Structures are given as C-alpha cells and as structure tokens.
Amino acid sequence: MKTKIISILSILCLTVCFITGCQQKPAGTQSDITANAVDYVSTTKLNMQSDTKKQEVTVKSYIDGDTTHFYVPEEISADGILKARYMGVNTPESTGKIEEWGKKASNFTKEKLMGASSIIVESNDDKWNVDSTGGRHLVYVWYKSEGAEDYRCLNLELIQNGFSISCGTTADRYGQAATDAFQQAKQQKLHVFSGQKDPDFFYGDAYEVDLKGLRSNIALYDNAKVAFEGVVTYNNNNSVYVEDYDAETDMYYGMSVYYGYETGELLNILKVGNRVRVVGTVTYYETGGTWQVSGLNYREFKPLDPSNTIKISEGHKASNKETDPGIFSRGSVDLEVMKALDSEETEVRPFDYANLVMSTSVSMKNLKVTDAYTTNNGGDNDGAMTLTCSVDGYTIDVRTIVLRDENGNMLTEADYLNKTIDVSGIVDYFGGKYQIKVFSADNITVH
C-alpha cells in the first residue's frame, strides 16, 4: 500500500513539473523573434550617387500592392506614365481575382505613398528594365515622409511586413536585405505567413473577383459562382446593371445582374445608387447573346453569410463615361487574362473595346439620327425604338425602351428623326451589334 501511494505521488509531481515547464517561455519563442526583429528598411539606404537610373515621380493611380502608375518625363516613357512593377515583390492579388491579404497589401502601399512628401523610382542597374509583359517597368520605389530625413524602400517594407509571397533573388540590388526580411517575416508569421484568416477577405464558396477580371475572363467563369463589388446604375426588366472602375486601364467594367421576381430586402439592396457586393452564378443569356449573373442569395437572418448579396454604401451615381464613337466602334484593348481558373498562367489577348465595356454606363454627344425603327409586334415592347445615328463617320445604334414625356405621352420616331442628340445609357449587344440602350427620355437630349 505504501509503495502504491509513493508511486501516485511521483506521477503527480511529474505532471506538475510538466505543466509548469509548458507554461514557461523557452528561448526562441514568438515573443523572442518579435523582440529581436531587425528593421531592414531603416538600414537600407538610397544612394543617389550610384549608377542606377533614378527619377522623382508623382502618383497617377494606385493599382495594387506591387503595382503603381507614376507620372514621369517623356524621355523615360513616351506617354509620360511609368507603370511600376515593384522589383522582387509579389503581393497577393487584389485586381482581377481577389486573394487573401491582397486588399491589405494594396492599402498598405497606398497609405505609404499618399503620406509621402517625395517619391523616387530606381532601376536595378544602369537602365530602365521592363517585366515579362513588356508593359511595366521593374523598379524600386522609395518614399520620404513629411519631416523625415531618409527615404524608405517600399519594396523592402512590403516584404518585411509579410505582404509578399516571394522576395526575388540575392543577385538583385537589395536582394540580401530582401531575403533576410522575407525570412524574418515568415518567422514572425506576419500577414500572408500568419496562418490566420484575413479579416478583409470573404471565405465562401464563390470566386472572389473584380468586374475587370470577370468581364475579361467571362467564359472561364461559365456556370461558376462569383462574388464582386460595384455600383448599381440602372434597373430594368428584372435586372440591374452593376459597374466598377479599374485604375490600371482607366476603364469601367460592368455586368448585368438578373434578380428575377425577388421581392423584399434584396430589391432595397439592389437600389440604383447603391454600392453592393453581388454573389451569384455566371450564365450565358442565349436570347440576347450576352452574359449575366443570376441566382442571387440573400439570407436576412444571416447578415455575415459570405453567400449574401449585401449593400456596402449608398449615394453613388452612374459614371456615364463620355465615349469616343471611333473607339466604341473600332477600338481594341490588350489585356492580360488567365489561361484557366485556379491557375497562375496568363496570356495577353486583344478585346473589342465595346465588348469590355458591356453593361457599363456611357454617354455620347452630337449623334445625328439618320434612321429609326419602332417595334410593333403586339407585345409589351411596342413603341420601343432603334435610332440609327451618324457621328464623325461612324454609325452608332441607340436602342430605347418605350419612352414617355413628363405628361405620360409616348415619344415616337418624329421626336428624334433627323435631329442631333446627346445620349447616356448602358452598352448592350443585340443582333450582332453593340449599341447604347436608353431607359428614360431624360437620357436623350435633343439639340
């Protein structure tokens, strides 16, 4: 009996010692790593006397975490714009497809540059180098805050803060510092290395994408569930049009969203002027030959459900971007697109301009109405018109719904034929042609 009691006491003592040992912080814990962290950004200096190319710049537009467009002299770039791809940095995506920590990285870059009193871009050697796309320059971006003495390398700062999933090579000009900062960020488990969920990312079963990425890769998303943000611009025939601006291309991209016969709160969310997050399924509308998103979800009692279509803000307006008729009719845009979903491989493809701006709001001026056709087949659309217009040698079709004046009287061909008009509406596709679709008499101004 005595032996058994001693054995039990021994086990208890060992257990207490084990628990006590687990509560102590041995050398090399996360706290130690953080306390011993090196600020590689502060110890890396910009040498204005080196043989690298350097240029003080101002920001034209913020794109994402590792890409910014700057104004530069024409001897550096013919159009006066340097599309900077940050050397040795690869942040998660926040344009096209949306990835965890992508928006956080993008906001980090924007905040640093917005607060800068001076910004300098530097090449890796004695010439300005472009990336594999041929359209972006590989540079280091240095910024100096108001009142600061030294410039800080934003490339290195992104890496040091755990916003880059890679860090280039030690052969790069600041490669060793970048490599050391990268390893430290991994040890500190910062952001992309944290193993934690990104609070700004929606974790659902939909592909997170922006409207540029959706529109330019639309066939890849056929029958897939997607989530995107944009402003509701028009509501017509059980559908709304949603658009969003892309700074990189200086264009708006849009999508038709079919809500069908939904009632209640979903219609309040999809109110014109609201900025919304739409979650639905991409489908091809055979009758119109266009793409749309349908099958929207809204769970009133589960507001945080990532499958919900939600309102983000209100008080916005349609862009009604004034559009050149020549660009609308014949313009082409080259875009980098995905080769497949869930793939990092991309390729550059040409797109008809009008195809890319489908479902966005545009305006066009000084259109001479040379012909008109009125629908008359016994249906609800009787009275809707197609106005054939001429401007600067181009033909533009304007398609209307049934239009009425302030007194409720139907407007007819006689109100527009042989007159010059300004229009605003949605880019649409019908009968093999791109056209401007108008939903109100207020959207046509007769000269």
Side-chain angles (χ1 to χ4, degrees), residues 45-112:
K45 305 296 183 181
L46 173 61
N47 180 6
M48 294 299 292
Q49 309 308 315
S50 70
D51 60 356
T52 58
K53 294 287 188 180
K54 303 174 191 70
Q55 177 64 48
E56 188 167 16
V57 297
T58 56
V59 175
K60 177 185 182 292
S61 51
Y62 302 97
I63 308 304
D64 58 18
D66 56 27
T67 306
T68 308
H69 293 180
F70 297 104
Y71 289 112
V72 294
E74 292 183 2
E75 57 263 28
I76 296 177
S77 179
D79 61 0
I81 299 169
L82 184 141
K83 298 178 179 179
R85 180 69 166 81
Y86 288 34
M87 184 82 183
V89 179
N90 185 12
T91 61
E93 297 297 328
S94 61
T95 61
K97 61 181 179 180
I98 312 298
E99 297 177 332
E100 293 176 89
W101 304 106
K103 288 185 178 180
K104 209 79 157 180
S106 181
N107 289 337
F108 184 89
T109 294
K110 184 176 181 179
E111 288 169 6
K112 296 299 182 183

Side-chain angles (χ1 to χ4, degrees), residues 202 228-230 269 274-278 310-314 316:
F202 286 92
F228 59 89
E229 293 183 13
I269 292 171
N274 286 350
R275 183 171 182 84
V276 296
R277 179 177 186 266
V278 174
I310 60 174
K311 181 176 80 171
I312 298 172
S313 56
E314 57 187 28
H316 305 276

Side-chain angles (χ1 to χ4, degrees), residues 64-322:
D64 58 18
D66 56 27
T67 306
T68 308
H69 293 180
F70 297 104
Y71 289 112
V72 294
E74 292 183 2
E75 57 263 28
I76 296 177
S77 179
D79 61 0
I81 299 169
L82 184 141
K83 298 178 179 179
R85 180 69 166 81
Y86 288 34
M87 184 82 183
V89 179
N90 185 12
T91 61
E93 297 297 328
S94 61
T95 61
K97 61 181 179 180
I98 312 298
E99 297 177 332
E100 293 176 89
W101 304 106
K103 288 185 178 180
K104 209 79 157 180
S106 181
N107 289 337
F108 184 89
T109 294
K110 184 176 181 179
E111 288 169 6
K112 296 299 182 183
L113 295 182
M114 284 188 70
S117 59
S118 176
I119 304 170
I120 290 176
V121 293
E122 181 189 21
S123 67
N124 192 52
D125 49 34
D126 60 355
K127 56 185 178 295
W128 296 110
N129 302 297
V130 295
D131 69 358
S132 58
T133 70
R136 294 175 295 197
H137 284 80
L138 292 166
V139 295
Y140 297 100
V141 178
W142 298 81
Y143 73 96
K144 184 165 63 174
S145 301
E146 194 70 45
E149 293 185 4
D150 295 328
Y151 284 88
R152 292 174 66 85
C153 181
L154 186 50
N155 306 50
L156 197 54
E157 198 161 16
L158 284 162
I159 294 170
Q160 182 170 288
N161 281 275
F163 284 120
S164 180
I165 59 178
S166 62
C167 62
T169 70
T170 54
D172 297 336
R173 185 168 187 81
Y174 306 102
Q176 189 58 60
T179 300
D180 293 341
F182 182 76
Q183 293 302 324
Q184 179 174 274
K186 290 178 70 175
Q187 290 178 334
Q188 290 183 286
K189 298 181 179 179
L190 300 179
H191 294 111
V192 299
F193 308 114
S194 67
Q196 303 296 315
K197 288 190 173 182
D198 175 4
D200 296 329
F201 185 80
F202 286 92
Y203 291 88
D205 58 353
Y207 286 98
E208 298 289 336
V209 65
D210 64 14
L211 276 169
K212 172 191 172 185
L214 181 58
R215 174 56 66 185
S216 58
N217 295 282
I218 190 68
L220 296 181
Y221 289 105
D222 188 16
N223 291 316
K225 191 174 181 180
V226 296
F228 59 89
E229 293 183 13
V231 173
V232 180
T233 57
Y234 290 92
N235 186 337
N236 180 69
N237 197 25
N238 303 104
S239 295
V240 294
Y241 295 90
V242 180
E243 69 181 16
D244 204 19
Y245 177 70
D246 173 69
E248 185 168 19
T249 54
D250 190 27
M251 290 172 58
Y252 286 85
Y253 298 84
M255 185 58 59
S256 171
V257 177
Y258 179 74
Y259 59 79
Y261 298 94
E262 292 284 346
T263 58
E265 185 58 26
L266 184 59
L267 294 186
N268 290 328
I269 292 171
L270 297 176
K271 184 179 178 181
V272 171
N274 286 350
R275 183 171 182 84
V276 296
R277 179 177 186 266
V278 174
V279 183
T281 302
V282 176
T283 56
Y284 185 68
Y285 181 49
E286 295 284 353
T287 303
T290 57
W291 295 91
Q292 63 182 16
V293 170
S294 59
L296 275 60
N297 290 326
Y298 177 73
R299 294 180 174 90
E300 185 174 357
F301 299 106
K302 291 186 176 181
L304 300 180
D305 189 327
S307 294
N308 268 0
T309 293
I310 60 174
K311 181 176 80 171
I312 298 172
S313 56
E314 57 187 28
H316 305 276
K317 294 182 179 180
S319 66
N320 290 325
K321 184 174 183 179
E322 187 171 345

